Amino acid sequence: MSNTQQDLKAALPAIRALQKRAADLEAQLTEPIAVVSMACRLPGGIGTPEAFWELLVSGGDAVGGLPDRWRGLDLYDPDPEAVGKSYAREGGFLDDVEDFDAGFFGVSPREAVSMDPQQRLVLEASWEALERAGIRPE
């Protein structure tokens, strides 16, 4: 038997093991995925996946005027180059971003004020997704 044949014969078990591993990985990629819950906070007062779906089905628009938290600020300028101003009068804004139950999440009021609003929203939406899935907090 030549060296080439011996090398091929020696490599065959490794090739078979790699083929099995590749087949196992491909099977994992085609496994079904189960979505057990979801939650969202979106512009236009959308606070549930059902409300989001209704907006999509109806062809609705979630763009609206400036939120109350920005009222009284002199932000508008028709010149898009104006520094510190906006030439848009409408946008996609989330409602009630300042409403956060810090105590519920074990966050001190002082810490809650310094948190990024996105962090607070992620906490709220994550908790809601767990609730909707029936997953116990423990």
Side-chain angles (χ1 to χ4, degrees), residues 78-89:
D79 177 12
E81 302 298 321
V83 176
K85 301 289 183 171
S86 172
Y87 65 94
R89 294 181 191 241

Side-chain angles (χ1 to χ4, degrees), residues 36-104:
V36 295
S37 183
M38 61 178 79
C40 61
R41 301 289 184 277
L42 300 168
I46 306 297
T48 66
E50 294 82 7
F52 180 50
W53 180 250
E54 287 302 317
L55 177 76
L56 293 175
V57 168
S58 70
D61 187 353
V63 173
L66 295 177
D68 289 341
R69 63 185 180 270
W70 288 10
R71 300 238 189 266
L73 299 176
D74 183 26
L75 295 176
Y76 177 74
D77 192 310
D79 177 12
E81 302 298 321
V83 176
K85 301 289 183 171
S86 172
Y87 65 94
R89 294 181 191 241
E90 295 183 320
F93 300 99
L94 298 181
D95 295 337
D96 305 321
V97 293
E98 63 280 346
D99 295 342
F100 176 69
D101 189 352
F104 180 80

Side-chain angles (χ1 to χ4, degrees), residues 6-22:
Q6 288 175 341
D7 291 342
L8 289 173
K9 191 173 183 179
L12 191 56
I15 292 170
R16 287 195 176 127
L18 289 172
Q19 287 173 328
K20 183 178 180 338
R21 177 75 176 133

